[in-house]
Amino acid sequence: MIVDPQIVEYFRNIKQVFIYIIDKCNLNCVQCLYKPNNYFHIGRNYIELDMAKKLIKYFYGLGARKLTIMGGEPTLYGEEEARKPLLCLIEYAKEVGYEYIRIDTNGTFEIELLHNSQFKLLDEITFSMDGPTAEINDNIRGKGVFDKCVANIKEGVKLGYNCDITCCIHKGMIQRDSNNQLYLHKMILFAEQMGIKRINFHDLFKSGIPRDMWTGSIEISLEKWFNVWAEIQDNIKRGCYKIPVRIPQGFVTKDRFDKNSKYYGYCSAKTGDRVLIHPDGILRVCSLMIGTPYGIGRFYDNKIVWDKSGTNELESHNMEKFTPCTNQSKSNKYDPFLPVCVSFKPQQNEFAWNQLEWEKNRKE
Ligand SMILES: C[S@@+](CC[C@H](N)C(=O)[O-])C[C@H]1O[C@@H](n2cnc3c(N)ncnc32)[C@H](O)[C@@H]1O
């Protein structure tokens, strides 16, 4: 491929690739930040297999070792050809040398897919679930989704797949059952019972960024967030859970940030540890730029070019300084708290976080 030197220089510390292989999805989740991509295209809504192969190989050459295949719903990629393109991509990524390949799915695919030998090459299947009961989950993800996903998780676990769950923290998750148990806590126990290896949470605050426009009204207040965050952190410290729990911190006080700005100032746009590849031909770094024209570069034909225009997402960042999340802090309605990166999850057991040895930056 013909690649601009700025791309090579910028991605010198790349650890992982997220390939959004197809924008189409069979669900319409309330919180989905990907909605604009799912519904509007003027061109194709997927990345051609040849191009996908070239891109993942290229970024492997720069140093990426973890690959996430997502979308849209990645199990719809090449659906009309019995998913051969998806299976070829998984196999090819292994041949190239990726050490960790995962797929991020809504878990509604036909169960037979789990029996496919190429699919079995995956190092992880991440199932997205937004509640430990059908009622809570399906309010967000759609009727009948809970049962389908649970059936696939059970089969996946039985077949020996490394299964994880990703869950968004929405209003339903901070409610309590009749025994006063927080659904967020119950979600972790549910994952454990299912044989899940690790659970990862996403927060859904509306902080003056583009995704606020098309995600539903299910976000929670800061006060409630601090309470449930403290409760779950306390449970983790007391060893209540058998599996690792990755939970975002969300915010930090100014004082604490100033004392340890290197640690709290984690920002993938500054570390250049990841690339997000999208069917619209845009390469992005920050997931908060999804659905916008902003990115770091573009790919087409046999080229990867640096975005030299006003849509380069780095324009807003002070690359020399550790700051709170640049994108979320523009209209900081959470003052006196400062927003940290949505991927800032203290002490998380995650490939890129470990590779960057980010925990070593922690002072307290
Ligand atoms: C966009 S989906 C695409 C992959 C697949 N269709 C799925 O459901 O997992 C990837 C992950 O992003 C999460 N997600 C969706 N909207 C989000 C938002 N507004 N903020 C944070 N995470 C979000 C989903 O719950 C899911 O776990």
Side-chain angles (χ1 to χ4, degrees), residues 20 22 24-27 29-35 38 69-75 103-107 126-130 140-141 165-168 200-205 211-212 214-216 287-288 290 342:
Y20 293 72
I22 185 165
K24 188 172 150 192
C25 189
N26 56 328
L27 302 184
C29 304
V30 176
Q31 85 281 31
C32 189
L33 82 172
Y34 214 71
K35 275 187 196 122
N38 288 339
I69 304 173
M70 57 192 302
E73 175 48 40
T75 60
I103 198 163
D104 203 334
T105 174
N106 61 33
T126 309
F127 290 91
S128 295
M129 293 197 78
D130 293 321
I140 305 288
R141 303 205 134 239
I165 283 182
T166 291
C167 176
C168 287
N200 178 32
F201 289 101
H202 288 180
D203 61 55
L204 294 172
F205 294 102
R211 73 165 182 193
D212 298 355
W214 49 80
T215 53
S287 59
L288 299 181
I290 288 173
V342 291

